[in-house]
Every structure is written in C-alpha cells, then in structure tokens.
Amino acid sequence: MRKRIVAGNWKMNKTYEEALSLVSEIDNMVKDEVNGDVTVIVAPPFPFLQGVGKLTQGNDLMHLAAQNVSEHESGAFTGEVSAGMLKSVGVQYVIIGHSERRMYHHEDAQTLYKKLKAAIAQGITPIFCCGEPLDERDADRHFDYVGKQLHDSLSYLSNEEFDKVVVAYEPIWAIGTGRTASSQQAQEMHAYIREQLSRMFDAEAAFNCSILYGGSCNPGNAKELFSQPDVDGGLIGGASLKSRDFTDIIKSF
Ligand code: PGA
C-alpha cells in the first residue's frame, strides 16, 4: 500500500534543548489534530536521535529518521555512523542522496547504492532523494537527469529490496529558495519517476512506492501539491523547524 508521508528534515539546526521542545510540540499537535492516515517522520541531527526518539515512541503516527548513514557496516571510519547503530537507537527511516550530500560531500551514485543496501539490510526504510539543478531544467533535460539518478542508484536493488524504498523528488532550484515547483511540475515529474520505477521493478511495487515532493513546501502550497495523484506527501526542510507550520502541512492531505 502506498503510504502518505510527511517527513521533516531538520538538517544542521537546533540545539538539543530546542530539538526536544520542537518534537514535543509537534508530537502534541499531531496527537490532537491529525487523523491516523499519515506517517509523520522527523529527522533530527545524529546526536539528538535517541532523545527525540524517546519522545516520539508513544505516538503511533510519529517516526524517527536519520539524515545520513554510512555505507560501511563497522570499523575504522572516523566520524561515520552505521545502519546498525541507527537501528539500535530506534531509527526507522534514513534520508539517502539528499542534494546537499551529493553536492558538498561528493556522494556518488554507487555510494548511494551501498547506503541503500546498508539501510535495507538493517530494516531501515531509505528515503531516496533525487532532483535536478536549475540549468538542467532550463535546458529541458530534467526528466533525463532524474531518470539517470534513479537508474544509477536504485536499479541494482532486487524487487524485494525496492519494496522498502520511499523516493523524494526535490528539484534543487526549489530547496530553501522559496520557489516551489508548481503542482503540475511536481505531478509530471512524479508520474515520470513512477513510470521509470515500473521499468526497473515490478509494476505493483512501483505503484505502491510513496513519492514525496520536497523544495519550499509550506502550509500555503502543501494542499495543492498533495492533491496530485502521484504526490504522496512531502520532505520538508525549513517549514519543519516550526511546529505550527509542520503540523499544518501534515494536515494538508
Ligand atoms: P526546504 O528543504 O523545504 O527548506 O526547501 C527541503 C529539503 O531540503 O529537504
């Protein structure tokens, strides 16, 4: 079954105290205001995972994500965090291939494939990000660009492994810019992504895959975006740092 998902990517923001307050506020609002048909995910920085996770545990709608994972299992990889470690502190989802990691940390398609495998092996659901820069869209090459990103990291997974994957389409020109994709631009790319997935995997798995939109999603545009047939929710950056905005986005379905 395709899930409706709203995930908050906190990126490198908040102190520990602030993170705990934010998640308590979100948790309370979600309990009071959100019906049971949506999966809510928060992705705090690594050192806050366990503390934030303790606060989300009692709420069935709330889930815990990490923002990154090592492709390695264990060993001499200073500064890295393995999927097994994430699992051991209750992490259920992990963001893989965010454009900021591709850009600033030079994560290539093969590395992302290994990260996908590492997460899936631990039963952690990857949220695999894709999306084109502005020049590719301006040159009308955005479909090919995103198709290649999907192919280069996902196509080596088995059907069974792919079943666990959530995809997030995040056009780079929309991330943190206040310039969101129109609902039509999002829908046509999401439909294209689903079609590509159905070529790589069985049609049912592609149909059931949740495809999230990310990039300047806010309470004002979420409803229109989420009403598109192939938009199954959102990966939210800036607006996920404000409990009221994040909850209003969750309520936009
Ligand atoms: P934004 O970020 O909502 O601040 O544009 C989205 C993301 O990078 O996941």
Side-chain angles (χ1 to χ4, degrees):
M1 259 308 275
R2 208 187 288 181
K3 274 189 194 161
R4 305 202 297 179
I5 297 172
V6 178
N9 174 11
W10 295 2
K11 307 192 181 184
M12 198 172 73
N13 291 296
K14 304 286 179 191
T15 63
Y16 186 51
E17 294 303 310
E18 289 166 352
L20 295 182
S21 312
L22 176 60
V23 77
S24 303
E25 285 167 26
I26 295 170
D27 190 56
N28 286 331
M29 287 182 187
V30 165
K31 263 186 207 137
D32 290 349
E33 303 174 32
V34 178
N35 73 40
D37 198 16
V38 51
T39 299
V40 179
I41 300 171
V42 287
F46 281 141
F48 308 160
L49 282 168
Q50 205 175 0
V52 166
K54 279 193 183 130
L55 296 177
T56 58
Q57 251 165 24
N59 184 339
D60 289 347
L61 300 184
M62 300 278 293
H63 297 79
L64 188 64
Q67 297 174 17
N68 184 26
V69 63
S70 171
E71 67 269 37
H72 303 290
E73 245 177 67
S74 66
F77 300 102
T78 302
E80 292 293 286
V81 176
S82 73
M85 293 171 183
L86 296 177
K87 181 82 185 167
S88 71
V89 294
V91 168
Q92 297 147 295
Y93 291 81
V94 62
I95 299 169
I96 291 178
H98 191 283
S99 59
E100 289 151 16
R101 297 226 44 102
R102 292 178 190 257
M103 214 174 340
Y104 306 134
H105 302 276
H106 313 293
E107 293 188 358
D108 61 16
Q110 195 58 25
T111 304
L112 300 180
Y113 165 69
K114 289 183 192 158
K115 291 184 177 216
L116 288 161
K117 293 278 283 187
I120 293 166
Q122 289 294 333
I124 296 175
T125 300
I127 302 175
F128 178 77
C129 302
C130 57
E132 80 285 357
L134 188 57
D135 56 337
E136 295 292 334
R137 179 161 284 265
D138 286 346
D140 210 20
R141 289 194 300 253
H142 44 295
F143 291 115
D144 287 349
Y145 188 94
V146 170
K148 184 164 166 33
Q149 285 182 319
L150 297 171
H151 183 271
D152 289 354
S153 294
L154 292 179
S155 65
Y156 308 100
L157 298 176
S158 66
N159 269 303
E160 209 190 7
E161 288 169 329
F162 171 69
D163 252 350
K164 317 273 185 317
V165 175
V166 170
V167 173
Y169 169 58
E170 300 204 304
I172 297 172
W173 46 270
I175 296 177
T177 58
R179 179 182 164 190
T180 185
S182 68
S183 54
Q184 191 197 335
Q185 286 172 323
Q187 168 54 28
E188 62 184 18
M189 182 59 87
H190 282 224
Y192 171 81
I193 290 171
R194 203 177 297 287
E195 197 227 310
Q196 294 301 306
L197 295 174
S198 74
R199 292 180 188 195
M200 289 185 252
F201 306 103
D202 67 43
E204 202 186 330
F207 180 79
N208 286 332
C209 179
S210 298
I211 306 177
L212 315 183
Y213 169 80
S216 297
C217 189
N218 61 44
N221 58 32
K223 202 172 190 64
E224 169 82 21
L225 286 161
F226 295 176
S227 68
Q228 303 303 309
D230 287 292
V231 179
D232 307 307
L235 179 55
I236 320 298
S240 74
L241 297 171
K242 296 183 192 129
S243 51
R244 184 67 270 160
D245 285 0
F246 189 56
T247 309
D248 284 346
I249 292 172
I250 298 165
K251 288 162 68 184
S252 299
F253 277 113

